[in-house]
Amino acid sequence: MAVHTRASIRPSDLNIEPSSAALLSGEQIQSAVEGVLSSTEFIDIHTHLFAPEFGNLGLRGIDELLTYHYLEAELFRSSPIRPEQYWTLSKQEQADAIWRALFVENSPISEATRGIVAVLQAFGLSTDAFDLREARAFFEAQPVEAHLRRVLKLAGVNAVVMTNDPLDPAESRVWENGGLKDRQFHAVLRLDRVLWGWSSHWKLLASQGYAVDERASGNSVNEIRRFLADWCARMRPLYMAVSLEDTFRFPDESVTNKILTEAVLPSCQEFDRPMSLMIGVRRQVNPAIRLAGDGVGRADLRAVENLCRSFPANRFLVSMLSRENQHELCVYARKFSNLMPFGCWWFMNNTSVVEEITRERIEMLGTSFIPQHSDARVLEQVIYKWRNTRVTLAKVLGDTYRSLNADGRAVTRLDIQRDVKRLFRTNFEQWTGLQRG
Ligand code: FIX
Ligand code: ZN
C-alpha cells in the first residue's frame, strides 16, 4: 500500500522553496532553527511601551534603561546608598549611581545588567566606559521615529502590544484626542484599578459619569459594562488584562470577583476579547524601593481552574509569576482549551528559568502556548530581551527536533517555520483576531 509521506510531495506541488521542504539531517537542524528564529518577526504580546503619539509616556535612552526597577533593586544590594537618598537624586544622577555601582565597581553579570551591555553593544557604544557621556550623547541624538523603527527591527519584533490604563489621566488625554495611529502598536485594556483597586478608584468612574458605588452594588455592574464598552470603542483593545496577587481566589465574596464575573468576563464575551490574568505578585513587600519593591508568591491555581470551567466561552491568557506554579499551569492548559499559557513573566524572565519552563511547556503542550513577552518598560530593552529569548529557544527547539529526528521523524525547514510562527505569532493572532485588524 502506497503511503503518502512528506518525502513523496514535490516542493513544486506546494510552490515552496525546494530546500525548505528538504528533510534535515541531525547536524543541519541547529542552523535551520537559528535561521528561522532570526528571520521570523515576533509579536510582543505584553509591554509597557507606548506608541509615539503617547509622547513622554514612552521611555527610551540610557538614563531610563539604567533606572529600570530591576536595576534599582540590584543597586541597593551593591551600594551603600539608601533608598530615601536615591529618590532625592535627579534621573541622571540616579543613572550615574547605578552605572558606577553595577557596571564600574562590579561586573555586570546579572540578567538585567547584561541587558544594558547588549544594548550598548547593539549600537556600537563602549560597554565599559567610566561614565555615561558617550551613551547620553548618542541616545539624545536619535530621531524618535527612526530610532523606534530601528530598535524594533534589531529586536525582530513587528507588533508591540501596550498596557493601557483607562483611568490614567495622561493616557486618557491621548485616547480622547485621536488615540492610537501607529500600526505597529496595539492596545490592551488594563483593569487593575477597576478590579482590585476598586475601593480607591471607583470615584474616578463616577467622575466620568458612570453611576457606580463603593460596593459595586445596584446598577454599578451595568455602568461598569458601559465603561468597558466605551473604552473598547475608543481603544479597540486586543484583550483585557489584570495582574493579581498570589492570594487571588475564585470564587469568593470580594468586589474583585463580583466585577470580574458580572462585568469584565461578560464584556469580554460581548466584544470577543480574551482576558489576560497575570497572577502571583506580592505588591510592595518593600515600599521603600517603589516599583522595585514588588515580590512574588505561589498562587492557588484552583482559581484559574474554576474560572476556565465556569466561563467556557471566555478565553484566558494566563502568566504566573511564581516558578512553583508553572507545572500546574501546563497541566491545567491540557484540561482547558480556553486557557493559553504565555510568557516567562518578570522574575521568571531569566535564561535558566525560561529554558526550564519552555522545555516543560513543549513536552506537555507541543506548540499550543506563547513562550514569551518582553514586559519592556524602556524601548531599547526589547533588543536584549528578545535576543535572549531567541538564544534560549534555539537551544530548546534544536534539542527537541533532534530528539524527534532520533525518534524516527525527520523535520524540514518548513516544519520549523510553521512551529516558530505558531509560537510567536499565530497562537496570539488567532486568540485576539490581530490579523483581522
Ligand atoms: O503587572 C505588570 O504588568 C508587571 O509586568 C509590572 O508591574 C512589573 O513592574 C514589571 O515591569 C515586570 O517586568
Ligand atoms: Zn508588565
Side-chain angles (χ1 to χ4, degrees), residues 44 47-50 57-68 71 111-125 135-157 160 185 349 374-388 390:
D44 195 342
T47 76
H48 298 270
L49 302 179
F50 287 94
L57 283 173
L59 306 180
R60 60 184 160 275
I62 192 63
D63 292 309
E64 294 296 347
L65 283 167
L66 284 167
T67 54
Y68 182 36
L71 291 168
E111 184 268 344
T113 50
R114 283 181 46 211
I116 301 287
V117 171
V119 170
L120 294 169
Q121 172 88 345
F123 293 112
L125 298 166
R136 275 196 187 113
F138 170 82
F139 284 104
E140 271 150 27
Q142 302 312 305
V144 173
E145 178 76 22
H147 182 63
L148 167 64
R149 308 301 164 200
R150 179 182 179 194
V151 168
L152 294 183
K153 202 97 204 118
L154 283 169
V157 163
V160 174
F185 284 78
N349 195 0
S374 74
D375 227 321
R377 280 181 174 272
V378 183
L379 175 63
E380 296 87 357
Q381 288 172 342
V382 290
I383 294 171
Y384 74 86
K385 288 180 184 257
W386 284 113
R387 197 199 62 161
N388 293 350
R390 283 186 168 87

Side-chain angles (χ1 to χ4, degrees), residues 46 48 68-70 190 243 278 291 345-346 375 377:
H46 173 63
H48 298 270
Y68 182 36
H69 66 84
Y70 289 33
R190 180 75 179 239
S243 73
M278 305 178 82
L291 257 184
W345 182 27
W346 201 344
D375 227 321
R377 280 181 174 272

Side-chain angles (χ1 to χ4, degrees), residues 217-418:
S217 60
N219 197 32
S220 297
V221 164
N222 293 333
E223 285 293 278
I224 295 170
R225 294 208 52 186
R226 186 166 69 85
F227 168 83
L228 296 171
D230 292 346
W231 278 97
C232 279
R234 213 171 273 139
M235 272 187 187
R236 297 166 57 73
L238 291 182
Y239 59 85
M240 299 190 197
V242 67
S243 73
L244 296 161
E245 295 226 336
D246 59 328
T247 51
F248 172 66
R249 294 284 178 277
F250 181 84
D252 73 8
E253 298 310 309
S254 65
V255 171
T256 299
N257 261 239
K258 178 180 170 70
I259 299 173
L260 182 63
T261 52
E262 297 177 25
V264 176
L265 293 177
S267 290
C268 282
Q269 282 183 36
E270 178 186 353
F271 299 106
D272 189 23
R273 303 291 86 197
M275 180 66 193
S276 169
L277 306 171
M278 305 178 82
I279 309 173
V281 59
R282 291 177 72 80
R283 292 185 216 288
Q284 295 298 281
V285 294
N286 180 1
I289 58 176
R290 303 186 184 175
L291 257 184
D294 291 335
V296 59
R298 180 177 177 174
D300 182 339
L301 265 165
R302 280 173 293 189
V304 172
E305 172 194 330
N306 298 336
L307 280 167
C308 290
R309 190 176 46 240
S310 312
F311 292 88
N314 284 87
R315 302 186 298 286
F316 295 96
L317 287 161
V318 177
S319 200
M320 303 301 299
L321 192 53
S322 166
R323 188 168 172 221
E324 288 66 34
N325 280 137
Q326 304 305 324
H327 187 251
E328 294 166 273
L329 181 64
C330 285
V331 174
Y332 276 124
R334 294 171 62 85
K335 311 303 148 192
F336 298 104
S337 59
N338 62 339
L339 170 54
M340 175 70 79
F342 80 93
C344 298
W345 182 27
W346 201 344
F347 308 118
M348 298 281 304
N349 195 0
N350 299 309
T351 303
S352 60
V353 180
V354 173
E355 183 174 337
E356 173 195 309
I357 302 304
T358 307
R359 283 185 192 280
E360 185 174 73
R361 287 173 169 173
I362 287 178
E363 288 159 0
M364 297 178 81
L365 304 172
T367 51
S368 66
F369 69 98
I370 300 171
Q372 189 60 297
H373 63 274
S374 74
D375 227 321
R377 280 181 174 272
V378 183
L379 175 63
E380 296 87 357
Q381 288 172 342
V382 290
I383 294 171
Y384 74 86
K385 288 180 184 257
W386 284 113
R387 197 199 62 161
N388 293 350
T389 297
R390 283 186 168 87
V391 170
T392 304
L393 263 291
K395 204 171 159 200
V396 174
L397 288 176
D399 288 351
T400 304
Y401 290 122
R402 278 189 292 278
S403 303
L404 178 61
N405 192 42
D407 294 335
R409 172 150 168 168
V411 294
T412 66
R413 194 181 178 86
L414 268 183
D415 295 334
I416 301 172
Q417 281 165 341
R418 175 198 52 208

